Amino acid sequence: MDRVPVPDEPLNEPLKKTLGPATAKVLTDQLGLDTVGDLLHHYPRRYEERGRLTPLAELPLDEDVTVVAQVADARVHTFNGGRGKRLEVTITDGSGRLQLVFFGRGVHKPQKDLLPGSRAMFAGRVSVFNRRLQLAHPSYAKLGGEEDAVDVESWAGALIPIYPACKGMESWKIAKAVDAVLPRAGEAADPLPPALREGRGFVPLPEALLKIHRPHTRADVEAARERLKWDEAFVLQVALARRRLADAQLPAVARRPRPGGILDAFDARLPFTLTDGQLKVTAEIFAELAAEHPMHRLLQGEVGSGKTLVALRAMLAVVDAGGQAAMLAPTEVLAQQHHRSVVEMMGELAEGGMLGGAEHATKVVLLTGSMGAAARRTALLDLVSGDAGIVIGTHALIEDKVQFHDLGLVVVDEQHRFGVEQRDALRSKGKQPPHLLVMTATPIPRTVAMTVFGDLETSVLDQLPAGRSPIASHVVPAQDKPHFLARAWDRVREEVDKGHQAYVVCPRIGDDEDEKPKKKPAAEEDGKRPPLAVLDVAEELRRGPLQGLSVEVLHGRMHPDDKDGVMRRFAAGEVDVLVATTVIEVGVNVPNATAMVIMDADRFGVSQLHQLRGRVGRGSAPGLCLLVTDMPEASPARARLGAVAATLDGFELSRIDLEQRREGDVLGQAQSGVRSSLRMLTVIDDEEVIAAAREEAVRTVREDPGLERAPGLRLALDALLDEERERYLDKG
């Protein structure tokens, strides 16, 4: 995509020029705010009304909060024979109470300031002591008429903005910093073309910035939010629309399967019929493979919906048309698993050039980083000569030495695990850009697909093939009810007695001399025990509840040959119980495995639990998934596990997951915890805004591809597409 030349952004001035170096440093280091524009787009999280007390009952644990409340009680306690002092202050909002605690020399000032009946804003991190919520050494600013009090009027009339804060910069200090830069809001370049802004009745951008930071009424806040949400959705959709336009103009070789070729021979040997969903998705893919510009398609399907079969038929269609197909898998375990299952499905059709190979056969080659030199040399020769129609591998496929005869299709499995550069390096190995099929088993709500994968067309497989069994899921509260955990191991034994197998999943590997970082796991510092480890749990199970069964381990630091050996033995039924990390999360297919016990299940994300659970119930026997946790019943973690146990609908779970996380940059650094480029828009709730912005973006880009008539929009694009995100869009 050509980078559009843009005028200078007036709000790019560094904050240290306006605020002074100390304040600017905290804002940059802690909140990622570098410029005047960054601070103007650091919006309040919520607003407090003067005279309305905050509901203390809803405070989130382990988060920095700001509350407005009244002091109900303040008492000094002495200890160590009167040498130590502790001030306990109880604040109330009428619906709940919260304890504040100050120690040592920090007692004197709050003891004078926080008298019963006084009101103040308090900021700090919520913790638990003696089963009660508290703030230890909170910062505070009094509200009232005294000299040292914060003047509520200066906080914009009746509404006090509460900003996302950090250690060293409370909400009211951020508000003061915003006051210093707010006069500059008038210089903000408006990204919305005037006709669009007026047509939709939005306030101008400078007015929206004033109203979001210093509203007089709730209506001010709503008008500003509506406008700022649109900016985010529209600028992002314009970036994606320009990407799609550029893709549509690239050349590609049309790949049409020939009648009577390898695809027809493969279909003839399938022991089942394709589902309606598989047929519909295949038709979409084949139509794009036959076009003369590259396919860019996202195939998302529920765990076990048959995505691999759909991808394999697309690869065979390309082989029929004289090209080669490459499948990129995130781990060696998964690459080996895919290679095994593809060779099994194809039978003699995978024995090209070998004795006994079928008439239309091709070679299916595996390429991973740990292969021996001789096997690797043979694989590379098969690729460059064109003897291998299909190659399945890890990032080893991307190395410079790997050359293809005629790469026609790249299939990327579990795309969120690959860096953009890796995908791009593989795509650059075609004589012309190859077609691209991206697969994910993580269901993605429609709005997220429009936002994160907005440059890809989307196909969804939501039908499970016939013969798949239901999976029963239960939460096992090990701390509250230890006998439930004992029963879980009994259930594993019962499954093994029936001739089935089981997985036990743990968050850590556990050979601590190797594990980095060396410092204690954060959980341990919080007073919680460290996460359970594969090596420890396997040993306990062998000696205890699963004594006499064949128990083996699988984790990411094992030698690749050892990993493959364990997986082969497990697939062959020689291992009863596999104790593993999340290396089994995707693609591992052992239909005889019917039970899964996930230890410390609260330490995994919702989508990850759903992925893991999809490893059982893949055969004709029903699956069982037990989510073991020490979390107390009323905790959010238990609620999350309850949601996973209550539904097998991955789309519903991904929605819950997203509502809980909400963070991570939906562009490029998706789910990485980098500050989000979306500050106002929430991809789950704002579906209508995103859909409408997408339509407007398509129209805008069609009428003015270079955005010559929209300098403000070009500026906003430039800010959004810093180099990293630009690369993401260029290569996504």
Side-chain angles (χ1 to χ4, degrees):
M1 195 194 314
D2 292 335
R3 205 165 168 91
V4 180
V6 290
D8 286 336
E9 164 58 90
L11 299 182
N12 266 348
E13 185 177 292
L15 281 173
K16 58 187 173 203
K17 274 194 170 179
T18 315
L19 302 177
T23 303
K25 184 170 172 22
V26 177
L27 289 172
T28 297
D29 293 350
Q30 299 268 333
L31 294 169
L33 308 175
D34 298 302
T35 66
V36 169
D38 288 343
L39 182 54
L40 285 174
H41 289 291
H42 184 72
Y43 308 130
R45 180 174 279 166
R46 58 192 169 83
Y47 302 85
E48 289 300 348
E49 289 180 23
R50 198 156 36 110
R52 186 179 72 84
L53 295 170
T54 320
L56 296 177
E58 295 165 23
L59 292 180
L61 194 57
D62 284 338
E63 276 194 30
D64 290 306
V65 298
T66 304
V67 297
V68 178
Q70 187 161 348
V71 176
D73 184 41
R75 293 178 191 194
V76 174
H77 302 271
T78 57
F79 52 92
N80 278 356
R83 289 194 302 277
K85 278 189 173 183
R86 183 174 79 249
L87 170 65
E88 288 180 4
V89 178
T90 305
I91 57 173
T92 179
D93 64 354
S95 72
R97 297 165 88 82
L98 178 67
Q99 187 156 306
L100 317 177
V101 59
F102 301 86
F103 291 101
R105 294 195 189 126
V107 162
H108 306 303
K109 188 169 188 313
Q111 189 179 355
K112 281 195 309 202
D113 290 343
L114 303 178
L115 302 172
S118 60
R119 293 183 66 239
M121 296 178 71
F122 301 93
R125 177 156 281 230
V126 183
S127 59
V128 173
F129 182 72
N130 280 347
R131 292 187 165 263
R132 290 168 63 195
L133 293 183
Q134 70 167 24
L135 299 183
H137 283 278
S139 306
Y140 62 89
K142 293 177 67 180
L143 300 173
E146 304 124 45
E147 272 177 48
D148 62 343
V150 173
D151 178 6
V152 176
E153 287 306 323
S154 73
W155 290 69
L159 291 176
I160 304 169
I162 306 295
Y163 287 91
C166 62
K167 197 173 177 183
M169 187 64 69
E170 296 90 352
S171 171
W172 51 84
K173 288 185 184 165
I174 294 173
K176 278 189 172 173
V178 169
D179 279 339
V181 300
L182 206 50
R184 303 282 300 278
E187 301 168 33
D190 199 322
L192 296 191
L196 192 161
R197 180 171 65 72
E198 287 154 19
R200 291 191 170 262
F202 292 133
V203 297
L205 181 57
E207 188 182 329
L209 290 170
L210 284 169
K211 283 183 167 170
I212 201 74
H213 288 293
R214 299 295 172 262
H216 292 289
T217 63
R218 292 275 170 192
D220 283 353
V221 176
E222 278 318 298
R225 273 178 193 257
E226 190 185 8
R227 164 64 215 253
L228 295 166
K229 272 183 188 183
W230 244 89
D231 283 13
E232 287 176 9
F234 180 68
V235 173
L236 183 49
Q237 292 300 333
V238 165
L240 294 166
R242 294 185 75 226
R243 174 73 246 132
R244 288 194 300 274
L245 183 69
D247 282 342
Q249 290 162 357
L250 288 173
V253 179
R255 310 281 180 174
R256 297 181 185 85
R258 60 193 167 90
I262 192 170
L263 179 63
D264 285 351
F266 175 76
D267 286 348
R269 55 174 285 132
L270 277 179
F272 49 81
T273 53
L274 298 178
T275 64
D276 293 345
Q278 286 172 324
L279 289 168
K280 175 175 163 285
V281 168
T282 298
E284 292 169 347
I285 290 170
F286 281 19
E288 290 188 348
L289 287 175
E292 291 182 351
H293 56 83
M295 167 172 80
H296 287 89
R297 187 164 282 278
L298 171 70
L299 171 59
Q300 50 168 322
E302 271 292 13
V303 175
S305 58
K307 291 181 302 300
T308 309
L309 178 61
V310 169
L312 177 54
R313 293 185 74 242
M315 293 196 284
L316 293 174
V318 169
V319 172
D320 260 346
Q324 291 169 292
M327 180 186 260
L328 188 57
T331 64
E332 293 210 348
V333 167
L334 191 49
Q336 287 160 343
Q337 176 81 31
H338 275 319
H339 182 254
R340 255 199 307 278
S341 58
V342 164
V343 168
E344 274 168 27
M345 281 196 272
M346 287 176 64
E348 73 258 22
L349 293 173
E351 295 170 2
M354 293 154 74
L355 208 59
E359 180 194 349
H360 300 294
T362 188
K363 276 192 185 173
V364 179
V365 168
L366 176 68
L367 190 66
T368 64
S370 65
M371 285 168 73
R376 188 179 175 75
R377 223 174 8 254
T378 307
L380 292 173
L381 271 173
D382 286 338
L383 288 183
V384 77
S385 66
D387 288 349
I390 294 176
V391 58
I392 296 167
T394 55
H395 53 271
L397 281 175
I398 292 161
E399 291 168 12
D400 290 343
K401 289 182 204 142
V402 181
Q403 299 297 323
F404 290 83
H405 177 65
D406 180 14
L407 181 60
L409 170 67
V410 173
V411 178
V412 179
D413 192 22
E414 290 306 320
Q415 96 90 36
H416 61 281
R417 304 225 180 163
F418 285 100
V420 172
E421 291 78 7
Q422 292 172 309
R423 294 203 305 276
D424 188 52
L426 185 52
R427 282 174 59 194
S428 69
K429 290 182 180 291
K431 294 188 177 85
Q432 285 194 327
H435 299 281
L436 176 70
L437 180 65
V438 167
M439 298 200 298
T440 177
T442 306
I444 303 163
R446 177 173 166 260
T447 43
V448 186
M450 275 197 296
T451 310
V452 181
F453 299 108
D455 56 335
L456 300 175
E457 299 300 327
T458 304
S459 296
V460 179
L461 276 176
D462 48 12
Q463 227 181 334
L464 288 187
R468 274 296 161 89
S469 304
I471 304 170
S473 303
H474 303 284
V475 178
V476 177
Q479 193 78 16
D480 305 351
K481 298 175 179 169
H483 60 287
F484 275 37
L485 182 57
R487 176 73 188 120
W489 302 127
D490 291 344
R491 285 292 289 113
V492 169
R493 274 192 173 279
E494 287 163 17
E495 289 301 308
V496 173
D497 289 344
K498 291 181 197 164
H500 298 307
Q501 293 158 278
Y503 298 99
V504 176
V505 181
C506 305
R508 270 173 67 235
I509 296 171
D511 53 356
D512 289 323
E513 359 12 299
D514 256 312
E515 281 199 358
K516 297 176 176 87
K518 288 289 183 201
K519 71 187 212 39
K520 284 182 177 180
E524 209 175 350
E525 288 168 2
D526 296 345
K528 278 161 69 181
R529 61 163 173 74
L532 291 171
V534 166
L535 300 177
D536 303 338
V537 168
E539 196 49 45
E540 280 172 34
L541 293 176
R542 285 187 194 114
R543 286 204 312 263
L546 303 185
Q547 197 171 10
L549 301 187
S550 164
V551 177
E552 291 209 27
V553 301
L554 180 72
H555 58 75
R557 273 212 312 278
M558 288 164 63
H559 187 277
D561 290 348
D562 296 339
K563 281 193 276 200
D564 194 38
V566 171
M567 274 317 299
R568 281 181 188 279
R569 288 196 295 281
F570 190 64
E574 295 162 20
V575 175
D576 297 324
V577 179
L578 187 63
V579 184
T581 55
T582 54
V583 291
I584 61 155
E585 182 185 343
V586 286
V588 172
N589 183 26
V590 180
N592 191 47
T594 54
M596 175 175 285
V597 181
I598 303 179
M599 307 303 290
D600 281 344
D602 49 278
R603 297 180 193 255
F604 298 97
V606 168
S607 294
Q608 201 171 27
L609 291 170
H610 183 58
Q611 288 294 320
L612 288 164
R613 171 171 62 184
R615 300 304 108 213
V616 296
R618 300 176 79 84
S620 53
L624 172 69
C625 179
L626 301 175
L627 306 167
V628 180
T629 178
D630 282 350
M631 288 288 112
E633 194 164 358
S635 63
R638 272 285 283 280
R640 205 170 68 231
L641 295 179
V644 174
T647 179
L648 291 172
D649 181 343
F651 285 91
E652 176 57 30
L653 287 174
S654 68
R655 198 179 174 93
I656 292 167
D657 194 20
L658 218 80
E659 281 170 348
Q660 288 177 337
R661 270 188 326 197
R662 280 261 164 88
E663 292 308 318
D665 195 336
V666 295
L667 251 193
Q669 294 291 329
Q671 304 175 9
S672 72
V674 170
R675 191 187 73 217
S676 175
S677 61
L678 302 187
R679 297 173 179 87
M680 188 63 77
L681 193 73
T682 52
V683 282
I684 281 290
D685 300 332
D686 295 319
E687 182 164 348
E688 285 174 21
V689 174
I690 292 168
R694 183 176 169 125
E695 278 177 34
E696 291 280 13
V698 169
R699 184 179 307 125
T700 301
V701 170
R702 192 173 55 230
E703 290 169 2
D704 182 12
L707 307 180
E708 305 300 330
R709 302 193 293 277
L713 178 54
R714 279 154 57 205
L715 260 179
L717 260 186
D718 201 51
L720 176 72
L721 303 182
D722 56 33
E723 278 184 38
E724 196 162 343
R725 297 198 185 115
E726 172 94 340
R727 278 208 309 274
Y728 172 77
L729 281 182
D730 270 352
K731 298 172 183 175

